[in-house]
């Protein structure tokens, strides 16, 4: 027993009937069109994923400079460098 009660022999008979009705050229064209549609769908889905990833990366890059400045300030303060630079007047 095959798919849903259809045996392999019944599937083969249906395939032969479809080939006789439509012909190989028409079926080949339908297959090509269907394959192109699936490929286009996959490309559009991957483009959306790339755009989402790029926007996330741009948001992270925009946040990094402020966090880099904060970490640099914290490092200078822990070393005692930040206070001495600010208090020294420049001539």
């Amino acid at each position: 027993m095959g798919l849903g009660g259809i045996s392999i022999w019944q599937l083969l008979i249906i395939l032969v009937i479809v080939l006789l009705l439509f012909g190989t050229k028409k079926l080949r064209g339908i297959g090509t069109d269907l394959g192109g549609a699936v490929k286009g769908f996959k490309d559009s889905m991957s483009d959306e994923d790339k755009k989402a990833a790029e926007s996330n990366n741009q948001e992270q890059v925009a946040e990094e400079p402020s966090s880099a400045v904060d970490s640099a300030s914290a490092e200078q303060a822990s070393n005692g460098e930040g206070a001495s630079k600010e208090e020294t007047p420049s001539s």
Side-chain angles (χ1 to χ4, degrees), residues 26-90:
K26 194 165 196 166
L27 289 177
R28 186 178 302 135
I30 291 171
T32 302
D33 292 342
L34 183 63
V38 169
K39 183 179 179 184
F41 177 75
K42 286 182 179 180
D43 290 343
S44 66
M45 292 302 291
S46 66
D47 287 345
E48 286 181 18
D49 291 341
K50 288 178 185 177
K51 287 178 185 178
E54 286 176 3
S55 66
N56 287 340
N57 288 341
Q58 289 175 353
E59 289 174 4
Q60 289 176 354
V61 169
E63 293 173 2
E64 284 181 10
S66 62
S67 64
V69 169
D70 292 341
S71 64
S73 299
E75 186 177 314
Q76 287 177 352
S78 67
N79 292 338
E81 297 173 0
S84 63
K85 287 183 180 178
E86 291 176 7
E87 292 176 2
T88 340
S90 57

Side-chain angles (χ1 to χ4, degrees), residues 4-23:
I6 299 176
S7 71
I8 190 73
W9 296 110
Q10 291 169 337
L11 288 174
L12 288 173
I13 291 170
I14 293 171
L15 178 65
V16 168
I17 293 171
V18 168
L19 282 172
L20 290 174
L21 288 176
F22 294 108

